[in-house]
Amino acid sequence: MTKLALLSVSDKTGLVDFAKGLVEQGFTIISTGGTKKALADADVPVKSVSDITGFPEILDGRVKTLHPKVHGGILARRDLNEHLEQMQEHGIGSIELVAVNLYPFAQTVAKPDATLEQAIENIDIGGPTMVRSAAKNFKHVAIVVNPGRYDDVLAEMREKGSLSDDTRFKLAVEAFSHTAEYDAMISGWLYKQIPDAPLFPETLALPYSKVQDLRYGENPQQKAAFYREANAAPGTVASAKQLHGKAMSFNNINDLNAAWELVQEFNEPAAVAVKHANPCGVAVANNVYDAYALAFEADPVSIFGGIVALNRTLDAKTAEKMSEIFLEVVIAPDFDEDALAVLTKKKDIRVLQAPLPEVREKLDVKKVSGGILVQELDDETVHSAGWGAVTNEKPSLQQIQDMIFGMKVVKHVKSNAIVLVKNGQTIGIGAGQMNRVGAARIAIEQAGDKAKGSVLASDAFFPFRDTVDEAAKAGVKGIVQPGGSMKDQESTQACDEHRIAMMMTGTRYFKH
């Protein structure tokens, strides 16, 4: 019986060499449309699917391979005489290999001006049907959806004469993953086209593709990998371009995301240093050099081995300052040529470039045992509109600016969180404490004498007046917090006793 290989691909990478290799292995190639033309133009002997089915392509190519002589040839079990007899009765050839990849739906909808009509026309029907048929019948048929597998498939055929059961099974699993991702992309994009669609659909399909295996996870005993969502937007960590340095680690990527998310809070030149997913130094200034210098000064100990994110192009002067210490990662929207020359002298530093995103992501996803939690990303701009000055002492303009700055930072610190700020610079950060006054004490201790005249920002309300009293001892002169405690009045009274200006925002910033 003639061995047939059906090739119908959107991505034609490696197609001609693969087809030639299959011909050498005794296959007769059948194909459709553009794939057939590409093979014929390369002088590869190829038959049209229409020659096999006796039926032309119709409906502008919407129906090409949806025919019993195609799917019978793929789905027939070669170990059942009944199936073999039916194949012979109906003149169905044995299709033993299918190579298919699908219409470029993801590339189509990635275009900002993509229309619903364009998207619909790039939903593949025949392709996924053949993929699923071949994958289901993997015991008898090989399905290849990834051009990167072509060489391995041919090598095994040349060495052993055919593909092993194990290889066909692995190819089938990859094929089902391919169609699952494809369908998830389609359903996800179409769902967004529904006017006033609920933010959270009844069924949530999140297609991700592996970018790389990582050396290990948070700790050496944990295996890990990094996955990127389909059509990851420009300006995301997943789409950032690495310009220099060794491969990113699990902790590098996690910390980088924390730094990159925080630096986007600021319109003015800003620098953010992160260690273990918490900011250790943050500052804004008139230029990126001063911003970085202030962020470094905020905590010159913790920044060592940390991640630094900037929201402006990195220049050579700032790069020279950075190179004075060991940094794991630097990310910025762009780099001067001289700045790159400075940083790349250090072989281990990882340098990444990403534009500031025009649109922020919508959803935040957290894994829990047996499920996921999904919430809106808290991307509202922090501003003082609607805040209330609740104390006798009223904040100055500089204090209000520092309060806004402090709330932008504390929003990205693990709760319970307290941040001390002075003149657009963090001077003390208390992160991840089980009680609020404990976080305040850590921030105050770190600030030392700099706490005098500073502003304290809290991610949530004060359950007691003790945080205010601790702040007063250190010389803090301004406090900003959400309010909402049953004992707000006690905290307000404490501020009045200590002549501290306090504002309440009405917005909590828990982060876990």
Side-chain angles (χ1 to χ4, degrees):
M1 185 178 288
T2 302
K3 294 193 301 182
L4 300 178
L6 197 163
L7 278 56
S8 180
V9 296
S10 173
D11 180 357
K12 294 176 176 55
T13 303
L15 169 67
V16 171
D17 288 341
F18 185 52
K20 288 180 178 179
L22 291 173
V23 171
E24 291 173 2
Q25 294 300 308
F27 282 90
T28 296
I29 307 297
I30 57 176
S31 190
T32 63
T35 305
K36 178 180 179 294
K37 183 178 185 303
L39 294 175
D41 289 347
D43 295 324
V44 177
V46 57
K47 292 184 176 181
S48 171
V49 166
S50 296
D51 296 335
I52 302 298
T53 64
F55 205 90
E57 295 181 12
I58 61 172
L59 306 180
D60 297 321
R62 284 190 169 199
V63 178
K64 304 174 189 175
T65 58
L66 297 171
H67 193 281
K69 287 196 174 182
V70 172
H71 287 278
I74 297 172
L75 282 165
R77 287 180 54 178
R78 279 62 165 176
D79 58 341
L80 293 180
N81 288 332
E82 182 183 357
H83 283 202
L84 297 177
E85 290 170 0
Q86 289 180 25
M87 290 175 72
Q88 185 173 5
E89 178 185 354
H90 297 289
I92 297 174
S94 178
I95 299 175
E96 298 187 12
L97 182 141
V98 176
V100 171
N101 50 64
L102 309 176
Y103 289 174
F105 182 84
Q107 294 91 321
T108 299
V109 299
K111 300 172 184 176
D113 57 349
T115 65
L116 180 60
E117 182 178 356
Q118 289 170 334
I120 293 297
E121 288 307 313
N122 278 278
I123 296 176
D124 203 328
I125 302 301
T129 307
M130 289 189 291
V131 170
R132 291 174 64 84
S133 293
K136 175 176 179 174
N137 204 27
F138 69 88
K139 289 185 178 181
H140 307 283
V141 180
I143 172 63
V144 186
V145 296
N146 180 358
R149 302 281 184 248
Y150 291 165
D151 289 346
D152 291 340
V153 167
L154 289 175
E156 185 172 336
M157 286 181 175
R158 288 165 181 152
E159 180 184 351
K160 300 178 180 179
S162 62
L163 297 179
S164 67
D165 292 348
D166 183 61
T167 295
R168 289 196 305 274
F169 180 71
K170 289 177 180 177
L171 290 171
V173 172
E174 184 174 38
F176 280 120
S177 296
H178 184 58
T179 56
E181 179 187 30
Y182 192 72
D183 286 339
M185 285 190 293
I186 293 169
S187 66
W189 190 85
L190 291 178
Y191 184 81
K192 294 176 184 176
Q193 311 314 306
I194 300 174
D196 302 320
L199 182 60
F200 306 112
E202 292 301 314
T203 300
L204 183 62
L206 300 174
Y208 289 85
S209 299
K210 187 163 71 173
V211 177
Q212 66 189 92
D213 289 310
L214 303 174
R215 284 181 61 200
Y216 51 79
E218 287 184 277
N219 302 291
Q221 68 270 24
Q222 296 170 272
K223 295 179 181 179
F226 180 41
Y227 288 80
R228 177 170 47 227
E229 65 185 17
N231 289 336
T236 57
V237 165
S239 63
K241 181 180 180 181
Q242 186 165 350
L243 305 178
H244 175 73
K246 57 186 181 182
M248 297 280 285
S249 72
F250 183 99
N251 291 329
N252 289 154
I253 295 169
N254 191 47
D255 288 354
L256 177 64
N257 189 68
W260 191 235
E261 288 292 316
L262 174 48
V263 83
Q264 293 171 43
E265 295 281 353
F266 303 104
N267 294 320
E268 58 269 70
V272 172
V274 163
K275 197 75 168 287
H276 295 298
N278 277 305
C280 57
V282 184
V284 294
N286 292 325
N287 58 73
V288 73
Y289 175 84
D290 288 341
Y292 172 73
L294 289 169
F296 170 82
E297 181 188 275
D299 190 346
V301 175
S302 298
I303 194 175
F304 185 86
I307 313 291
V308 172
L310 307 174
N311 64 355
R312 294 290 191 279
T313 298
L314 178 61
D315 56 37
K317 181 181 178 183
T318 309
E320 290 281 4
K321 178 72 173 173
M322 287 180 172
S323 67
E324 294 174 1
I325 63 168
F326 169 60
L327 294 173
E328 287 274 5
V329 184
V330 174
I331 186 170
D334 209 348
F335 295 81
D336 288 348
E337 187 175 334
D338 291 342
L340 274 179
V342 171
L343 292 179
T344 54
K345 290 178 182 177
K346 292 194 165 190
K347 66 176 184 178
D348 290 336
I349 191 172
R350 301 157 177 91
V351 180
L352 281 83
Q353 183 269 332
L356 293 170
E358 295 181 5
V359 179
R360 301 288 295 277
E361 293 183 298
K362 296 286 186 187
L363 298 180
D364 178 42
V365 180
K366 297 181 187 296
K367 180 73 178 73
V368 298
S369 178
I372 58 173
L373 290 169
V374 183
Q375 64 178 350
E376 286 184 288
L377 194 69
D378 190 359
D379 62 352
E380 289 187 1
T381 302
V382 177
H383 51 74
S384 60
W387 291 6
V390 296
T391 50
N392 295 329
E393 195 79 17
K394 303 305 178 188
S396 66
L397 179 59
Q398 179 60 54
Q399 285 179 318
I400 292 174
Q401 290 175 344
D402 278 345
M403 287 175 179
I404 295 170
F405 174 87
M407 292 307 273
K408 288 180 177 181
V409 176
V410 83
K411 178 180 175 182
H412 294 266
V413 180
K414 298 289 186 182
S415 300
N416 289 306
I418 296 289
V419 174
L420 264 61
V421 175
K422 186 186 286 185
N423 299 324
Q425 177 193 33
T426 59
I427 57 174
I429 298 175
Q433 298 305 298
M434 284 64 73
N435 62 76
R436 193 153 303 283
V437 70
R441 287 170 179 149
I442 291 171
I444 289 166
E445 180 181 2
Q446 184 186 1
D449 289 341
K450 292 181 180 179
K452 295 177 180 177
S454 68
V455 163
L456 179 151
S458 175
D459 65 337
F461 64 61
F462 300 147
F464 307 102
R465 62 172 285 165
D466 49 4
T467 298
V468 175
D469 293 331
E470 291 291 333
K473 291 177 189 176
V476 170
K477 290 300 180 183
I479 291 176
V480 59
Q481 55 121 334
S485 168
M486 293 177 64
K487 297 187 177 182
D488 276 349
Q489 187 54 42
E490 290 185 12
S491 296
T492 302
Q493 182 179 340
C495 284
D496 286 338
E497 291 173 9
H498 299 299
R499 300 190 65 183
I500 294 174
M502 183 167 70
M503 297 194 77
M504 292 187 180
T505 69
T507 303
R508 190 182 73 184
Y509 290 125
F510 272 171
K511 184 176 178 64
H512 300 106

